[in-house]
Amino acid sequence: TNQHGQKLVYRRHFIEFMSMFDGVNYPIAHDFPAEAIHRITPDDVVTFLNVKAYGVAVPRRHDKPTLARSHKLQFYKTALSSFMLDGRRWDVDLKIGNPTKSKAVNDVIKRIKEFENNGNEGGNTRGNGGLKIGQMPTTGSVKTAA
């Protein structure tokens, strides 16, 4: 993919994330103010990746990542990271930095990679992981699957 094409793909995933994060169907050309980007936390990214892989915000211990493989989640992480305004690793104490560069986000991908390495089939790499606009819960309102 050429550089322009890659940026467009990254933008589509970022718009999808922000649309779910805010519960608004943003157009592809929407520009987000810095404040909107700065309020993204690792928990928000973890929720997005969980829904993409498992179909739920907080998977149960026995849930399997049937919707996306680890390399697809790494791609989503890279796409979101390209729009973060701070390139530093996430500082848990100060709550600043790039939320995609946090241990929590890396642990989601690591957990799915371990699942795949144990001879399990991960999810497909097509589709949107079953997400709909407005489905992503905001921090503090994440619900677990029953």
Side-chain angles (χ1 to χ4, degrees), residues 87-99:
R88 296 174 290 176
R89 289 190 65 77
W90 182 258
D91 185 310
V92 177
D93 297 323
L94 299 176
K95 300 195 182 321
I96 60 169
N98 181 337

Side-chain angles (χ1 to χ4, degrees), residues 20-66:
M20 287 177 238
F21 182 63
D22 290 340
V24 174
N25 190 6
Y26 291 113
I28 192 74
H30 186 81
D31 286 322
F32 295 92
E35 310 84 59
I37 295 171
H38 282 301
R39 67 185 170 88
I40 298 168
T41 68
D43 287 343
D44 300 321
V45 179
V46 165
T47 297
F48 179 73
L49 295 179
N50 279 337
V51 174
K52 295 297 265 182
Y54 295 94
V56 294
V58 181
R60 295 171 295 189
R61 194 168 49 89
H62 66 275
D63 286 344
K64 296 181 180 9
T66 59

Side-chain angles (χ1 to χ4, degrees), residues 41-115:
T41 68
D43 287 343
D44 300 321
V45 179
V46 165
T47 297
F48 179 73
L49 295 179
N50 279 337
V51 174
K52 295 297 265 182
Y54 295 94
V56 294
V58 181
R60 295 171 295 189
R61 194 168 49 89
H62 66 275
D63 286 344
K64 296 181 180 9
T66 59
L67 301 174
R69 297 182 64 100
S70 61
H71 68 274
K72 187 66 173 182
L73 297 182
Q74 183 64 48
F75 181 81
Y76 293 138
K77 174 188 165 182
T78 302
L80 297 180
S81 183
S82 73
F83 290 91
M84 298 301 126
L85 304 176
D86 191 334
R88 296 174 290 176
R89 289 190 65 77
W90 182 258
D91 185 310
V92 177
D93 297 323
L94 299 176
K95 300 195 182 321
I96 60 169
N98 181 337
T100 69
K101 294 182 179 182
S102 69
K103 182 179 181 327
V105 170
N106 289 327
D107 284 351
V108 170
I109 297 169
K110 179 181 174 185
R111 186 172 59 248
I112 291 171
K113 197 174 287 189
E114 288 170 357
F115 175 81

